[in-house]
Amino acid sequence: MQPYWSEARHLIRLAGPILVAQVAQVAMSFVDTVMAGQVSALDLAAVSVATSFWLPVILLVQGLIMALTPIISQLNGAQKRGDIRPAVHQGLWLALMIIPLGMLALYVSPHALALMDVAPELAAKTAGFLHAIMWGLPAFALFQVLRNFTEGLSFTIPTMVIGFVGLAVNVPANTIFIHGLFGMPKLGGVGCGVASAIVLWAELVVMVLYLRRSRRFAPFALFSQLALPNGSRIWRIFRLGFPIAMAIFCEVTLFTVVAILLAPFGAEIVASHQVALNFSSLVFMLPLSIGVAVTIRVGHNLGEGAPQHARLSAKTGLALGMSAAAMTAIFTVLLRSHIADIYTDDPTVLRLAAALLLLAAIYQISDSVQVVAAAALRGYKDTKAIFYITLVAYWGLGLPTGVTLGMTDLIVPHMGPQGFWTGFIVGLTSAALMLGLRLTRVSRQHLLPDGYTEAVRP
């Protein structure tokens, strides 16, 4: 048991700052939700629907860049530190290539609302939010490159500190633009989009300043000379990151498409979905942070040529994730009504949200297993399998189940939002089983004499 306890300490040390940073990030979404909800249910619904478009775009960008973490961690483990700066620069070039596409997607996405039975007032506020927050996408993409650089080196504290900087900027910025203080227009829920764009640029500026002044990162001379674009290296990062991005997209769209499908049911239904989804996202940060730590440890151990230690990291991460999920599930069940009451005083929204939180508690263990297993597979650079599995689990099983139960009478009388959340349970549980089996196979292959075939390279 001693190796497991030792590895658990490594993972907790890495995951702790990441968790705090993730909580700060979700806290900003929490602030947006609460402050928009205080204006009106319409403003809260607009933030919810707009987030359904914003999240897939930024997570696709994040997923593509996330390939840098296992690349840098393996290079660091193999003591090939001279190759790290060029790898980061190629990641920056990749980010610059995808930023215009992401901004275009956000600009045109409100047109999709015209194809649905969405109230004009809700559609207008949703479009305003998206057209404001899209100006923060360049800062988000460049920040993710620098974040993956620091985390790939097993140094996660900058992400934590900057997360609090973002939260500190978000609250007053929201107040100013939602309520129209200091001569600014009173924008309501749209003001959350303006504030979020400002936050993203503030986080990027602070990260750049930190890396330029920190002695820890001085040997890498990250900003001394920008490497020219290298097509083969950019393609290598893209090829590794694209399945990650698509896997994240498949998972997120399982949730965000449901928000869009629920839009015609009315603002109260959408708002209750947003409340439950926001809180479950907050709880999800714990296994997600453990997963990031597992990616770093697996990649570092493989770089050192120690596949047995990489397997130990993966198994320990799964145990930590399931233990944490069991505790949060109990907490959610016991306090679901009080949790919903934090977000809203609307009795209809409160009642519906409390019912959805009960379903959210059920899938937390499966959610933890799938996110940690996927993170371990990223450390092994086995990313294609993650995409195929999540595609089948979320779109082939979860979403069809949710649509069938939520909108039709084929099996039971249509359940509305509860039917869609039952679909979440089916999709996440299926993903956990398949990703767990894939991780077992891949980790065993790397223990064989000829099993470790992935060259450590930038």
Side-chain angles (χ1 to χ4, degrees), residues 65 92 95-96 99 137-147 204:
I65 298 170
L92 287 170
L96 291 173
I99 284 170
L137 183 64
F140 174 83
L142 297 175
F143 174 81
Q144 292 303 315
V145 174
L146 301 179
R147 172 183 174 174
L204 174 62

Side-chain angles (χ1 to χ4, degrees), residues 364-400:
Q364 284 177 21
I365 293 179
S366 296
D367 206 9
S368 178
V369 171
Q370 67 87 19
V371 72
V372 175
L377 289 170
R378 287 198 297 271
Y380 282 105
K381 296 185 178 178
D382 184 47
T383 58
K384 290 184 180 179
I386 302 173
F387 168 53
Y388 296 140
I389 289 172
T390 53
L391 179 64
V392 171
Y394 302 142
W395 283 86
L397 298 173
L399 187 59

Side-chain angles (χ1 to χ4, degrees), residues 7-339:
E7 183 60 31
R9 286 193 293 270
H10 280 295
L11 292 173
I12 292 170
R13 187 173 66 249
L14 287 171
I18 297 172
L19 173 61
V20 175
Q22 296 286 1
V23 170
Q25 187 67 37
V26 174
M28 284 188 270
S29 178
F30 171 81
V31 169
D32 289 348
T33 301
V34 171
M35 295 184 74
Q38 290 173 346
V39 177
S40 71
L42 177 63
D43 286 272
L44 175 57
V47 171
S48 173
V49 176
T51 302
S52 300
F53 290 101
W54 163 250
L55 273 180
V57 173
I58 64 167
L59 290 177
L60 279 172
V61 172
Q62 184 180 23
L64 285 170
I65 298 170
M66 199 180 290
L68 282 174
T69 298
I71 289 173
I72 292 172
S73 62
Q74 287 196 18
L75 289 171
N76 189 42
Q79 300 298 311
K80 294 186 176 182
R81 297 185 177 180
D83 292 331
I84 290 178
R85 182 172 66 91
V88 175
H89 289 177
Q90 300 312 312
L92 287 170
W93 286 115
L94 176 60
L96 291 173
M97 292 175 185
I98 60 180
I99 284 170
L101 297 176
M103 293 184 70
L104 179 62
L106 290 171
Y107 183 78
V108 303
S109 57
H111 293 296
L113 297 174
L115 305 176
M116 306 170 60
D117 187 19
V118 177
E121 297 85 357
L122 177 57
K125 284 184 175 289
T126 300
F129 182 101
L130 291 170
H131 291 165
I133 201 172
M134 74 177 186
W135 295 106
L137 183 64
F140 174 83
L142 297 175
F143 174 81
Q144 292 303 315
V145 174
L146 301 179
R147 172 183 174 174
N148 279 271
F149 162 66
T150 61
E151 291 180 355
L153 295 174
S154 300
F155 191 56
T156 56
I157 292 177
T159 304
M160 176 186 71
V161 174
I162 293 172
F164 279 106
V165 170
L167 184 59
V169 174
N170 186 61
V171 175
N174 262 350
T175 303
I176 291 170
F177 290 101
I178 288 176
H179 300 290
L181 304 181
F182 305 111
M184 294 295 105
K186 185 177 181 180
L187 300 175
V190 175
C192 296
V194 177
S196 296
I198 294 172
V199 166
L200 293 171
W201 280 104
E203 290 180 339
L204 174 62
V205 169
V206 173
M207 176 64 92
V208 171
L209 291 175
Y210 176 80
L211 293 178
R212 288 182 66 89
R213 295 174 179 270
S214 173
R215 293 181 180 179
R216 177 184 292 267
F217 298 104
F220 296 97
L222 195 63
F223 301 104
S224 62
Q225 183 178 359
L226 181 63
L228 294 175
N230 183 302
S232 62
R233 289 187 173 184
I234 293 174
W235 172 249
R236 193 175 298 149
I237 297 172
F238 179 84
R239 188 178 61 187
L240 183 62
F242 182 74
I244 299 174
M246 293 307 298
I248 294 173
F249 179 80
C250 288
E251 179 179 359
V252 170
T253 49
L254 178 66
F255 293 89
T256 56
V257 167
V258 167
I260 296 172
L261 292 174
L262 288 174
F265 286 76
E268 289 80 8
I269 294 291
V270 175
S272 66
H273 170 79
Q274 175 65 12
V275 167
L277 186 58
N278 183 265
F279 179 78
S280 62
S281 298
L282 178 63
V283 171
F284 177 68
M285 293 303 102
L286 184 52
L288 178 62
S289 302
I290 294 171
V292 174
V294 168
T295 299
I296 296 168
R297 289 292 296 165
V298 169
H300 187 90
N301 288 328
L302 291 177
E304 288 185 330
Q308 70 278 12
H309 292 159
R311 191 165 191 253
L312 176 68
S313 298
K315 293 172 67 176
T316 305
L318 286 170
L320 282 175
M322 287 190 292
S323 299
M327 291 186 292
T328 57
I330 294 172
F331 174 85
T332 304
V333 171
L334 295 178
L335 300 177
R336 61 188 186 277
S337 296
H338 299 287
I339 293 167

